[in-house]
């Protein structure tokens, strides 16, 4: 562990180059994560989906995502924090990353850094390491400020990727709100109209906004969020398909089975069995 701080109010922030060797961090299911490959490659599985990351690629993960490091062939930095240390919901006006950098669905934000962007983040990491060595009553707040700067910088990089500028910033905020609302209500609300009513927009307006940013349609976002939760429940719990169907708000098991087959191309039982067969041990460096 390079650095970790646990506050009196159960806040947690950590920065490490050895996440795959830290059982403590891997067990903690409250952490938001930045995974940044700084040299070579890194192979991970996120919710059982393999990803191979190269130098200067970053992914952002929520506490909902299940992360396994499979192969380390280089150096990578993991920057993690929980909501007690810095709440992205409560401070959305400061960092504007909720529903954007951190999706609740299986969609993972993946960024490729330019040389300048990489240099900027390296500077922030250096400041974090400097501040972590100063043990006084100001340390916690200074580390929170540095973390916020790291989040904002990544948010700006992601905005650039999706073509979000000053002229369409307000429109993009509606998209972020949509993602947050879906995260909060997908078990009960499954139609675009449900969310359009909350946002005081028409379904067509929402569809046009998503299309202008090259994003999946609003209905697809809802379906992918349900699909992701179904996969997690099938892979990481022992709940029956019938129980999962009820949790996700389907009228019966048959409706859930049809939805899952349409989204994944597999039956519920085949998917669960395949996940069990493919379970492999983590590979360390």
């Amino acid at each position: 562990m390079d650095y970790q701080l646990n506050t009196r109010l159960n806040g947690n922030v950590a920065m490490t180059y050895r996440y795959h060797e830290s059982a403590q961090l891997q067990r903690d299911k409250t952490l938001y994560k930045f995974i940044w490959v700084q040299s070579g490659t890194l192979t991970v599985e996120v919710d059982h989906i393999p990803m191979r990351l190269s130098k200067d690629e970053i992914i952002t993960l929520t506490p909902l995502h299940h992360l396994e490091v499979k192969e380390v062939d280089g150096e990578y930095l993991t920057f993690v924090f929980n909501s007690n240390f810095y709440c992205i919901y409560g401070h959305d006006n400061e960092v504007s990353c909720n529903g954007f950098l951190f999706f609740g669905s299986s969609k993972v934000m993946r960024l490729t850094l330019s040389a300048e962007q990489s240099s900027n983040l390296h500077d922030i990491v250096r400041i974090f390491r400097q501040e972590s060595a100063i043990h006084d009553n100001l340390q916690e707040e200074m580390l929170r400020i540095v973390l916020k700067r790291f989040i904002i910088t990544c948010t700006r990089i992601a905005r650039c990727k999706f073509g979000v500028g000053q002229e369409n910033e307000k429109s993009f905020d509606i998209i972020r709100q949509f993602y947050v609302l879906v995260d909060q209500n997908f078990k009960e609300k499954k139609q675009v109209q449900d969310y359009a009513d909350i946002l005081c927009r028409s379904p067509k307006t929402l569809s046009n906004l998503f299309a202008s940013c090259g994003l999946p349609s609003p209905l697809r976002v809802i379906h992918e969020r349900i699909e992701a939760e179904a996969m997690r429940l099938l892979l990481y719990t022992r709940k029956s398909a019938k129980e999962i169907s009820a949790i996700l708000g389907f009228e019966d098991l048959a409706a859930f089975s049809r939805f899952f087959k349409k989204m994944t191309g597999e039956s519920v039982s085949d998917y669960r069995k395949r996940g069990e067969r493919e379970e492999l041990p983590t590979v360390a460096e």
Side-chain angles (χ1 to χ4, degrees):
M1 181 69 62
D2 290 79
Y3 181 78
Q4 183 170 12
L5 174 69
N6 294 297
T7 73
R8 289 176 298 172
L9 299 177
N10 297 318
N12 191 2
V13 63
M15 181 180 285
T16 177
Y17 290 89
R18 313 291 298 181
Y19 176 84
H20 56 285
E21 295 180 353
S22 174
Q24 177 190 1
L25 289 181
Q26 292 178 49
R27 282 194 304 267
D28 191 334
K29 305 304 180 185
T30 69
L31 298 175
Y32 291 85
K33 304 176 187 71
F34 289 93
I35 311 292
W36 174 14
V37 179
Q38 297 189 337
S39 67
T41 61
L42 176 71
T43 303
V44 299
E45 277 191 7
V46 179
D47 289 339
H48 234 60
I49 298 172
M51 300 180 70
R52 189 169 186 269
L53 306 171
S54 301
K55 183 178 184 296
D56 276 334
E57 282 193 304
I58 291 182
I59 57 172
T60 58
L61 305 175
T62 75
L64 292 173
H65 291 107
H66 292 258
L67 170 68
E68 285 189 40
V69 176
K70 291 296 184 181
E71 184 178 353
V72 180
D73 187 15
E75 186 174 79
Y76 72 101
L77 175 72
T78 306
F79 201 179
V80 303
F81 64 98
N82 65 9
S83 291
N84 285 341
F85 186 79
Y86 189 81
C87 179
I88 62 171
Y89 290 89
H91 296 92
D92 189 61
N93 62 319
E94 296 178 350
V95 293
S96 299
C97 69
N98 190 22
F100 181 39
L101 271 190
F102 298 105
F103 295 107
S105 72
S106 61
K107 292 296 181 184
V108 174
M109 178 65 77
R110 185 170 179 170
L111 304 173
T112 302
L113 306 178
S114 68
E116 182 180 3
Q117 291 165 345
S118 177
S119 177
N120 290 340
L121 289 181
H122 275 290
D123 287 342
I124 297 171
V125 167
R126 186 173 65 253
I127 295 170
F128 186 92
R129 292 171 69 89
Q130 289 171 349
E131 291 297 334
S132 67
I134 303 174
H135 300 286
D136 59 17
N137 63 346
L138 301 175
Q139 183 194 49
E140 179 182 336
E141 191 55 33
M142 282 299 295
L143 293 178
R144 192 173 286 113
I145 290 169
V146 179
L147 169 64
K148 184 168 76 170
R149 184 177 169 189
F150 192 95
I151 295 172
I152 290 172
T153 301
C154 288
T155 299
R156 285 175 170 168
I157 293 168
R159 283 186 170 200
C160 185
K161 173 180 178 177
F162 286 96
V164 180
Q166 202 168 12
E167 71 285 351
N168 62 347
E169 190 170 358
K170 289 184 178 179
S171 295
F172 195 76
D173 280 342
I174 295 172
I175 292 175
R176 293 199 307 114
Q177 290 176 49
F178 183 88
Y179 274 104
V180 173
L181 287 170
V182 170
D183 230 23
Q184 295 170 342
N185 299 284
F186 69 93
K187 295 174 184 176
E188 298 83 26
K189 302 181 187 300
K190 294 179 169 56
Q191 302 300 322
V192 177
Q193 186 68 60
D194 297 328
Y195 300 95
D197 290 343
I198 298 173
L199 293 168
C200 300
R201 299 290 190 280
S202 71
K204 184 173 178 57
T205 296
L206 291 179
S207 295
N208 290 339
L209 287 176
F210 275 74
S212 68
C213 290
L215 294 167
S217 71
L219 184 60
R220 182 73 186 178
V221 169
I222 297 168
H223 285 175
E224 287 180 345
R225 183 63 184 90
I226 299 168
E227 176 194 16
E229 195 70 14
M231 288 177 167
R232 290 184 184 119
L233 290 169
L234 287 167
L235 288 174
Y236 305 116
T237 76
R238 295 184 178 181
K239 296 183 186 298
S240 68
K242 186 175 181 180
E243 288 176 304
I244 293 171
S245 170
I247 289 169
L248 296 178
F250 287 89
E251 57 187 26
D252 53 36
L253 177 57
F256 171 57
S257 298
R258 287 194 299 271
F259 170 84
F260 193 84
K261 182 68 179 286
K262 181 179 178 181
M263 292 295 293
T264 67
E266 289 184 274
S267 70
V268 170
S269 58
D270 286 348
Y271 178 79
R272 179 167 258 174
K273 288 175 185 175
R274 183 171 63 82
E276 291 170 351
R277 287 197 308 270
E278 292 179 357
E279 195 68 37
L280 295 172
T282 299
V283 177
E285 186 178 17

